[in-house]
């Protein structure tokens, strides 16, 4: 049988990293088996819908390279692929369940339900619908329908017995039917609930493997009762553990709470955009590489058999398996993400790096004034993500203010006094230099150091501080002097010396 998987997001705004990972696994499993990957938009909860969100889903999947074989914008034999456009397909199935006694019309008003809910809450119980309308006679139901009374259709869950299903990750999951509520299948607005639509859609779209977040684990027994009621074979279920992250506890002023050891108290929580965690789009807009994000996200919850950590999407399409899926929640770690991204950036060709860096450098510098090619050579190995670049190169455009103790560096044997004399020598020398190539700057300065009999650091350290205003720079004194050019270097050197003496 052909493997058919689906990614079924609700259009609520963003592609969360957890969502991206579900999409990835779903995609990879289809590809691994030479099957089909389907995109279905689950928009039955129209209040939660955010305009433009569907387009964002298309765009994100596109950039990620997760090409779907069937979906709203590409078509397919099992459409429509948007739940609201399938509206009329669900009611006949619900009626079939009513016929067989697995569902029933319910006319209870919101007031009655709210009261019952409040009552249950008072007693500290979870609300369960009391099946009042299950006991209405056929005639009464018909009369109320004919009178146009608003209704919902509820699933008739047996009062006794067990409901369960098999999950690839969690094994056999079983609950007592007595704990399950007769939940709504068709809402008063005629639209199905997610609880009903996912079953009908997965079946009618011939989905063989359902991979989704484990928040659906507790509802899946109910879905299985529906499959049984219809006499349908359920899909293979793979409920994925969530993507979490570490955070520190904060007090009401937003200050970290410290534990007895004086360290901030950490806890683990779900990723959340509201708490400032990045979405897939956020990462891309900060200059993370799609390939690096895909690589890291795949490994967050799935382990390959060997030691290798770097995989392209097409390699993953061959390697991915269900056995490697993790049984415990995975932790998204920004530092690990940065490490992956830095590795991918290092592997870019110099041309590609320059092309990707250019828009970020342009925010601060201009290519007419600065040798971007040389600058990029210095930056590439230090870049974790491209949005860091403007801050890393800003000193080339504007000389930053800096304290004089920057000149003091034990390791380089540099003191304020040694810096003053070294900078005077450097100024005198550089004013005579016309060949401003890096190699010539190197040769003349090194010659000077040798003739003065001082340590390299005693000249090179203060020189770099004096022309950059920073202790950390991409490249050393020669590279920076070259990038700044002759007149800017001399101007900076003069100004810095003046401040020192
Ligand atoms: N629409 C659901 C969501 O976005 C998907 C659940 C499923 O994959 O069945 O959470």
């Amino acid at each position: 049988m052909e493997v058919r998987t689906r990614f079924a997001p609700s259009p609520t705004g963003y592609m969360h990293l957890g969502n991206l990972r579900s999409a990835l696994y779903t995609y990879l499993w289809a590809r691994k088996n030479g099957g089909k990957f389907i995109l279905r938009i689950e928009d039955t909860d129209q209040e939660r819908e955010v305009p433009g969100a569907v387009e964002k889903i298309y765009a994100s999947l596109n950039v990620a390279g997760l090409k779907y074989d069937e979906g709203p914008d590409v078509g397919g034999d099992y459409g429509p692929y948007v739940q609201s456009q399938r509206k009329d397909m669900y009611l006949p199935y619900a009626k079939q369940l009513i016929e067989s006694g697995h569902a029933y019309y319910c006319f209870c008003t919101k007031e009655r339900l709210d009261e019952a809910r409040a009552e249950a809450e008072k007693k500290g119980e979870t609300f369960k619908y009391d099946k009042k309308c299950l006991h209405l006679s056929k005639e009464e139901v018909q009369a109320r329908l004919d009178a146009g009374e608003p209704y919902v259709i509820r699933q008739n869950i047996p009062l006794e017995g067990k409901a369960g299903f098999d999950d690839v990750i969690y094994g056999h999951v079983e609950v007592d039917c007595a704990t399950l509520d007769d939940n709504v299948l068709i809402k008063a607005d005629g639209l199905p609930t997610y609880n009903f639509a996912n079953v009908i859609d997965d079946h009618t779209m011939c989905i063989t493997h359902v991979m989704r977040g484990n928040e659906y684990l507790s509802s899946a027994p109910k879905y299985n009762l529906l499959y049984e009621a219809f006499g349908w074979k359920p899909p293979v279920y793979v409920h994925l553990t969530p993507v979490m992250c570490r955070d520190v506890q904060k007090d009401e002023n937003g200050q970290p709470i410290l534990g007895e050891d004086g360290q901030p108290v950490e806890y683990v929580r779900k990723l959340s955009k509201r708490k400032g965690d990045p979405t897939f789009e956020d990462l891309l807009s900060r200059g993370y590489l799609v390939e690096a994000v895909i690589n890291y996200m795949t490994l967050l919850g799935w382990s390959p058999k060997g030691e290798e950590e770097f995989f392209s999407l097409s390699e993953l399409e061959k390697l991915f398996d269900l056995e490697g899926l993790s049984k415990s929640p995975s932790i998204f770690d920004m530092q690990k993400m940065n490490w992956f991204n830095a590795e991918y950036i290092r592997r870019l060709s110099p041309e590609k790096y320059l092309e990707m860096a250019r828009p970020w450098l342009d925010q601060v510098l201009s290519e007419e004034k600065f040798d971007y090619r040389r600058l990029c050579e210095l930056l590439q190995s230090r870049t974790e993500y491209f949005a860091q670049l403007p801050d890393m190169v800003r000193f080339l455009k504007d000389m930053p203010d800096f304290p004089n103790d920057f000149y003091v560096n034990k390791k380089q044997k540099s003191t304020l006094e040694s810096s003053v004399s070294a900078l005077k020598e450097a100024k005198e020398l550089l004013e005579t230099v016309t060949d401003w190539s890096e190699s010539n700057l190197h040769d003349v300065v090194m010659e000077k150091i040798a003739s003065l009999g001082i340590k390299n650091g005693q000249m090179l350290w203060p020189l770099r501080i004096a022309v950059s205003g920073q202790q950390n720079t991409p490249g050393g004194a020669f590279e920076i002097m070259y990038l700044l050019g002759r007149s800017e270097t001399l101007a900076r050197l003069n100004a810095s010396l003046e401040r020192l003496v």
Side-chain angles (χ1 to χ4, degrees):
M1 192 168 56
E2 181 180 56
V3 165
R4 291 174 56 84
T5 67
R6 89 296 193 279
F7 175 50
S10 303
T12 51
Y14 297 91
M15 182 69 102
H16 294 282
L17 288 171
N19 257 354
L20 172 72
R21 199 195 56 171
S22 300
L24 251 170
Y25 291 165
T26 310
Y27 166 86
L28 291 173
W29 187 239
R31 288 291 166 267
K32 164 80 179 253
N33 291 286
K36 293 278 185 321
F37 172 56
I38 291 129
L39 173 66
R40 179 171 80 221
I41 301 295
E42 303 210 321
D43 60 347
T44 55
D45 191 354
Q46 306 222 306
E47 278 167 23
R48 285 175 61 210
E49 189 158 345
V50 175
V54 176
E55 287 67 31
K56 277 205 178 124
I57 293 169
Y58 298 158
S60 294
L61 291 175
N62 235 322
V63 196
L66 308 184
K67 199 173 165 313
Y68 36 96
D69 304 292
E70 298 169 27
D73 55 338
V74 299
D77 294 339
Y78 298 82
Y81 293 89
V82 179
Q83 278 181 340
S84 59
Q85 292 169 18
R86 299 168 72 82
K87 189 174 186 263
D88 299 334
M89 296 175 61
Y90 305 103
L91 192 59
Y93 285 108
K95 286 190 172 158
Q96 192 182 324
L97 290 181
I98 293 176
E99 283 302 307
S100 63
H102 294 96
Y104 58 94
Y105 289 103
C106 173
F107 301 92
C108 286
T109 58
K110 189 175 174 303
E111 288 71 30
R112 175 171 191 269
L113 296 173
D114 284 349
E115 238 169 67
R117 219 170 260 125
E119 189 80 4
E121 211 168 281
K122 242 200 270 163
K123 288 195 216 146
E125 291 168 1
T126 10
F127 167 76
K128 262 185 71 181
Y129 179 65
D130 61 3
K131 288 186 187 277
K132 177 167 182 257
C133 290
L134 175 63
H135 309 295
L136 298 175
S137 70
K138 245 188 161 162
E139 295 68 34
E140 184 174 350
V141 168
Q142 199 50 53
R144 292 172 81 164
L145 290 176
D146 292 345
E149 222 179 285
Y151 68 86
V152 301
I153 297 177
R154 288 184 186 273
Q155 183 173 359
N156 181 18
I157 303 228
L159 288 167
E160 288 168 356
K162 303 224 180 258
F165 69 98
D166 292 312
D167 185 88
V168 168
I169 296 185
Y170 291 86
H172 187 67
V173 177
E174 204 174 69
V175 296
D176 286 328
C177 290
T179 62
L180 301 174
D181 186 22
D182 280 1
N183 52 287
V184 172
L185 303 177
I186 302 283
K187 297 182 281 186
D189 63 5
L191 283 175
T193 54
Y194 165 77
N195 289 325
F196 192 47
N198 89 90
V199 170
I200 304 300
D201 289 343
D202 286 339
H203 175 74
T204 54
M205 292 181 174
C206 300
I207 301 301
T208 59
H209 294 73
V210 166
M211 302 169 87
R212 65 179 160 215
N214 71 356
E215 63 269 30
Y216 294 99
L217 203 57
S218 59
S219 316
K222 284 194 268 204
Y223 307 153
N224 231 40
L225 290 176
L226 292 173
Y227 279 99
E228 278 170 19
F230 283 118
W232 296 340
K233 185 173 175 287
V236 175
Y237 285 109
V238 189
H239 285 94
L240 303 165
T241 56
V243 182
M244 315 287 280
C245 67
R246 276 185 229 290
D247 198 353
V248 293
Q249 262 162 2
K250 306 225 173 83
D251 62 18
E252 62 271 22
N253 302 319
Q255 293 306 312
I257 296 176
L258 302 183
E260 281 175 10
D261 56 356
Q263 296 301 311
V265 179
E266 280 199 354
Y267 72 110
V268 169
R269 60 161 174 80
K270 269 195 170 183
L271 280 180
S272 139
K273 178 159 175 70
R274 250 182 335 110
K275 296 217 157 119
D277 301 323
T279 61
F280 181 47
E281 290 92 338
D282 290 336
L283 287 180
L284 298 187
S285 69
R286 288 183 210 160
Y288 285 80
L289 304 187
V290 173
E291 295 78 6
V293 180
I294 295 281
N295 195 154
Y296 178 48
M297 290 314 295
T298 308
L299 296 185
L300 211 63
W302 176 76
S303 316
K305 297 225 163 65
E307 294 297 311
E308 181 60 37
E309 280 194 294
F310 290 91
F311 300 104
S312 68
L313 191 61
S314 58
E315 285 165 341
L316 290 168
E317 288 172 16
K318 294 187 196 89
L319 283 177
F320 184 76
D321 55 18
L322 300 181
E323 293 84 64
L325 286 172
S326 165
K327 291 186 171 46
S328 45
S330 19
I331 308 267
F332 177 81
D333 176 356
M334 206 59 219
Q335 278 177 357
K336 188 86 204 257
M337 175 75 260
N338 286 349
W339 179 83
F340 258 103
N341 206 52
E343 283 296 322
Y344 270 85
I345 287 183
R346 243 168 254 155
R347 293 166 187 215
L348 294 174
S349 68
E351 292 70 32
K352 186 73 192 166
Y353 180 88
L354 174 60
E355 182 191 320
M356 297 190 76
R358 187 175 280 120
W360 298 94
L361 297 178
D362 282 346
Q363 288 183 18
V364 183
L365 308 175
S366 82
E367 202 162 358
E368 285 136 41
K369 275 197 155 151
F370 292 93
D371 181 347
Y372 274 16
R373 195 164 290 278
R374 181 64 184 128
L375 182 55
C376 283
E377 281 172 7
L378 302 171
L379 288 170
Q380 186 163 359
S381 64
R382 311 174 137 240
T383 314
E384 286 186 324
Y385 53 97
F386 284 99
Q388 293 174 313
L389 294 189
D391 283 344
M392 283 164 79
V393 302
R394 191 162 280 116
F395 76 95
L396 289 170
K397 176 161 172 278
D398 299 309
M399 177 71 182
D401 274 338
F402 66 99
N404 280 344
D405 39 319
F406 272 17
Y407 289 115
V408 182
N409 185 319
K410 240 190 184 155
K411 212 170 123 210
Q412 307 289 347
K413 306 237 178 315
S414 175
T415 62
L416 276 186
E417 296 71 46
S418 70
S419 295
V420 173
S421 66
L423 290 179
K424 280 186 180 159
E425 294 287 349
K427 171 177 137 70
E428 212 167 276
L429 167 74
L430 291 169
E431 277 172 348
T432 67
V433 174
T434 48
D435 173 0
W436 210 257
S437 65
E438 236 177 84
S439 62
N440 188 52
L441 287 169
H442 171 271
D443 293 349
V444 296
V445 172
M446 294 312 283
E447 209 175 289
K448 188 76 190 171
I449 290 173
S451 76
L452 292 170
I454 57 174
K455 299 258 176 236
N456 290 351
Q458 288 179 308
M459 169 78 85
L460 299 182
W461 178 261
L463 194 48
R464 185 156 67 93
I465 301 287
V467 298
S468 73
Q470 297 191 165
Q471 289 176 306
N472 285 312
T473 51
F478 307 125
E479 289 87 353
I480 292 166
M481 292 195 294
Y482 161 71
L483 286 168
L484 288 171
R486 186 173 190 276
S487 71
E488 178 68 14
T489 302
L490 292 177
R492 288 184 179 201
L493 191 50
N494 274 324
S496 295
L497 242 181
E498 253 164 55
R499 282 188 7 171
L500 253 185
V501 290

